[in-house]
Amino acid sequence: MQLCASRWAAGAAPRQQCRSPAVAAAARPRPQHGAAAAAAGGSGSAGSPGGDSAGDSSSSSSTSSSSGSDGGLRGRWRRMHADSAALRAQLSSYGLAGVVAYGLLNTLYYCAAFAAAFTFADVPHGLGAQAAAREAAKVLGLVWAGSQVTKLLRAGGALALAPAVDRGLGVAVERLRLRSKGQAFALVVGGCLALAAAVFGGVVAAHA
């Protein structure tokens, strides 16, 4: 050891070569055994579950995006129904005038749509009463489906028309010497039913 130190001092040997065997053994890296090696292996294999979870998250996100695209129409349909319900709630604040306004627009829609659908459906004449009634039922189903799409427009129109209808009911009570607006309401309902029956019956009879 003294010889090595003297040689290192003289510059003949590097300092690393002058270490004692004990110091050199302590400086060597120790191999991993047992739990340390298992921990190292576990840290190396931990990336695999992470990749699986990332794949699961990407697949779930794609599934949610596809379900979101499928539910877009349903969401708009629900919002439309919610808006229509809100408009009808506002109509109810007008009382009989709101009901009359909505009923008038419904009567006009069903009469016009039924006559137009029967015309454009190219239903032949001379079908007989039963066959014409069956065709009328089919056309009425189409008209009802269309009424679900235009419900929001009719509710908005009725809300705008309700103040004028309320004034009209008051004028009818004065001029016809009715007891209340309830009687005027009954007259309007009867007129709407009579108009619808005349239009439906006339169209069916024309093709019977």
Side-chain angles (χ1 to χ4, degrees), residues 2-14:
Q2 295 177 355
L3 178 60
C4 184
S6 63
R7 291 179 62 189
W8 173 75

Side-chain angles (χ1 to χ4, degrees), residues 40-132:
S43 63
S45 62
S48 173
D52 295 340
S53 62
D56 295 339
S57 63
S58 62
S59 63
S60 63
S61 62
S62 62
T63 304
S64 62
S65 62
S66 62
S67 63
S69 61
D70 293 339
L73 291 176
R74 290 195 294 270
R76 286 193 292 270
W77 184 262
R78 289 170 184 169
R79 287 193 296 271
M80 184 180 69
H81 276 279
D83 294 339
S84 178
L87 288 176
R88 288 197 300 270
Q90 294 179 11
L91 275 175
S92 64
S93 64
Y94 285 97
L96 293 178
V99 178
V100 169
Y102 193 70
L104 287 173
L105 292 182
N106 276 346
T107 302
L108 293 176
Y109 166 78
Y110 273 97
C111 290
F114 183 80
F118 228 95
T119 301
F120 288 107
D122 198 13
V123 179
H125 295 271
L127 293 176
Q130 293 182 354

Side-chain angles (χ1 to χ4, degrees), residues 1-20:
M1 182 68 181
Q2 295 177 355
L3 178 60
C4 184
S6 63
R7 291 179 62 189
W8 173 75
R15 187 174 183 177
Q16 289 80 2
Q17 294 181 1
C18 295
R19 293 177 180 177
S20 64

